[in-house]
Amino acid sequence: MMQWFDAYNEGDLLWLGNWSPTWLVVLAILGLTVILVSAYDLRTLSPFRRWMLVALRTAVYGLAVLLLLEPAVYLKHVETIKNDVAVLVDTSRTMSLKTDGETNRYDRVGSALDDLEDTFQRRSDEHEFEVHRFDKSMTSASREGLIDHTPEGTESNLSGALHQLQDQYADSDLGGIVLLTDGIDTGAIGERTPRGAKLDTETRQLLEEFDAPINTVSAARASELKDAAVAEVQHDDFAFVHNKVSIDVVVQATGLGRTEFPVTLRRKGELIQTQQLSVKPDQMRYELTFEFVPQQIGKELYSVSVPEFSGEALLQNNVAHFLQPVIRDKIRVLQVVGQPSWDERFTRRLLKKNPNIDLISFFILRTNSNVRLVPQNEMSLIPFPTRELFEEELGSFDLVIFQNFNFGPYRMRQYLDSIADYVRDGGGFAMIGGNLSFASGGYAGTPIEDILPVKLPNSTNPDVVLDTTPFRPKLTGAGTRHPITQMAFDPASNREIWQNLPKLRGTNVVREAKPEATVLAEHPTRENDGRPMPVLTVSEKGDGRTMALTSDSTWRWNFEHVGQGGTPREYQVFWNSAIRWLIKDPELKLIQVDIPEEVYPPGDDLEANISISKPDYTPAKNLDGTVDLMHRSFETIREQGASSSPDVIASKDFKTNAQGQYQAEFPVDDPGVYTVAAQSDTSAGTLEDREIVLSIPDVEEFRNIVPRNEMMSQFASATGGHAATLPDFNPGDLEFDESSRVEINRRKVVHLWNSVVVFILILALLTAEWTLRRRWGRL
């Protein structure tokens, strides 16, 4: 039996008898009764003899009960399982920066790994050490492989690595983490935690979920670094021409002492502004704001730069280039309304709520023929300023809307030619229906009819030119694709939306669409010469665009649709899209060059997607064209400014596919500004579009190169780990948890109750009790 115990290192006492608590109580009471009865029965003996016999009887009873309980010993050989210790090594590009002389941060980490090898060997019975490296993501590695590795990761995503680590060791007993890094994190934690700030709640929760000490070994100190960097440039996605633009810049200066230097903003190489920065020894981060007013529409190159200093750790972060799209100023819209109505009210409210629209509205509440009961000079309403609007100011508007307006009572016939010329010169014009619009407004045979996309009947009789029957417009084939009527990208979904819109309450009667026009929606029942009457029609007129909407009740798509449990989205999308098309929004051009990325590193391939559409926005398939790739270096732009012309470095002829598309691919070899220009001769004339992109070496990792040792110290403090900064490092100070998991290699149950020794012991006790009782005169 002793050999059994020698083979095991742990044991537990078991009771195999299946006795309920009630029976155990009964046995205990019975035993107590036996003891008391025995003590009473032996009262005539001397105390020694009396209690000797009671003890022997108690021992016999106890052993008998013990046999009933069936005692056993559960023997185990238990071995502690080694827990895991994860070693994370930063292999991002900032680890290649010099610290002193010829040693860089990664060299220091290599030396620390050599020192850790002894710890790995010495504590290999307790922990399983697993090595990983991280930059953009975390991957497994070996100590030998890391020593020969070159740190060139374009990101230092410590946050992502910690999340990966958490997933990988979710079902493991993690004894600790050793993190060798410069502390720079381009991930979420680094963004959430400004320098000098305490860790936020989300980060602390992540660290605590490891339930293991995190030991941090920082690769460098900020005091060892000398650098001036443009760390951040923040700008809006787009700017408005002739409106002030703000560019927020963060400059980091380290190891420069007390000094001053200029921070410059350039546009296409030409200096716009300079701000003088005063650097203090105890301050690292400086925030500046540049404000300027762009003077032209388009996408332009801007650069923010700081001077280069002798002895800087890095020069690539001294300049930051970016593209700033500049779009038109607020869209100027002239809305002329013949009389107040719900349609006018909803249209005006939509235009006024759009922050990009500068709206001028005129509502005709009275005419010169209205009855006046008060003198003219006492009336607060102003006369309709026809000359000012249609001679002096007309060219300043991007869009003119005639909404249920008849020109006759205001002596405007002499200005109709000016409005037609305004459209042909590039303006937008829309006529919206009503009892004072189209033929009802007397526009048949006028210059306005010449620019409208529909022909008008030669009558003003309301019974002829107005139809008050409610109807729901029906989309044409062109309407399912045209941006004005495209409320969903899927044609079937788009048709379903239009079929579920509230009905329009009547329409102006027009004859037919002109040959060059595109009908987007037509009347479901009215016909002219066997063709459905157009309800929504658009057309190109010279350099401008026109739209004819023959109903004045689209406001019901807002009011009535909301009342039926819908939303005003369809109304808003329709009118916003119509305005964009009428003013020739660049995104609605018939030819478009789209480049997915705005910045390409040198050596990548640039992909340009070219799309060409017909005037009805159907794909222009099998159409020939040419695409050119042009390049200007940053040095050339800085030296020659905007006067420098790009060099054509590649050119391709192309033919569009069935979708009216072509994809051009060009290699991007050198840093600089690249322009992709595509052109094609179509039925709508020569179409051309161009797009510019930047080719910049990926230096985002170098924007912030100052070590973040204070954040690493907080990592260690929050988890009970140890924080060290190289070259001062003692592996013996690292903190690891003991393993909490064990493995049972052998086990055995030894039954004590069926041992012959127990039976001999009971027999011996009974013999001794009987012998003593007989000797002392008891039967």
Side-chain angles (χ1 to χ4, degrees), residues 1-13 72-77 746 748-752:
M1 178 179 289
M2 295 307 296
Q3 293 178 349
W4 292 346
F5 284 94
D6 291 341
Y8 301 92
N9 56 14
E10 286 189 18
D12 298 312
L13 181 63
V73 177
Y74 178 45
L75 299 176
K76 300 174 290 185
H77 184 275
R746 295 185 297 277
K748 186 177 184 65
V749 178
V750 180
H751 298 275
L752 301 178

Side-chain angles (χ1 to χ4, degrees), residues 526-545:
R526 287 196 67 94
E527 293 184 351
N528 285 316
D529 297 330
R531 295 181 179 180
M533 188 194 81
V535 173
L536 177 62
T537 315
V538 294
S539 176
E540 304 267 352
K541 289 294 179 180
D543 291 332
R545 289 174 172 177

